[in-house]
Amino acid sequence: MSKISLLFPLALLASCGKSTPPVPTETVESLAANPERLKELRQQCKTDRAKLGDELCNRVAEATNKRFFGDGKVPYTPPKESPKF
């Protein structure tokens, strides 16, 4: 038997193993720009994070923060007078 015929069954067995989850195509920016898709994915991450994967759910969380906090370029302007308690 040749080496190739011995290795072929091993290659088939190796390819039958666990498949990796698909790489998410949504970026943080695209999710932040699409609130309906972001809401849908937030709900799915709450109910079935294992199915979606940590990478996508982390992007969803980051996009949610980006929408809430904005771009972060607004400077803090304290009031001219301090509050009276």
Side-chain angles (χ1 to χ4, degrees):
M1 269 191 157
S2 70
K3 289 183 180 180
I4 294 175
S5 63
L6 290 174
L7 293 177
F8 185 71
L10 292 176
L12 286 176
L13 286 175
S15 66
C16 293
K18 242 184 188 179
S19 64
T20 58
V23 176
T25 57
E26 286 98 350
T27 63
V28 173
E29 290 77 20
S30 69
L31 289 170
N34 188 350
E36 291 180 13
R37 177 73 175 143
L38 182 60
K39 183 179 179 180
E40 174 187 327
L41 286 174
R42 284 182 67 204
Q43 186 61 37
Q44 289 178 10
C45 284
K46 286 179 186 177
T47 58
D48 198 5
R49 186 177 182 100
K51 181 180 176 187
L52 290 177
D54 285 338
E55 185 179 351
L56 178 58
C57 289
N58 289 342
R59 287 182 188 183
V60 168
E62 191 175 338
T64 301
N65 284 341
K66 188 172 187 171
R67 284 190 55 83
F68 182 78
F69 292 114
D71 60 4
K73 295 182 181 179
V74 179
Y76 173 70
T77 53
K80 293 180 182 180
E81 296 180 23
S82 60
K84 310 256 190 283
F85 293 106

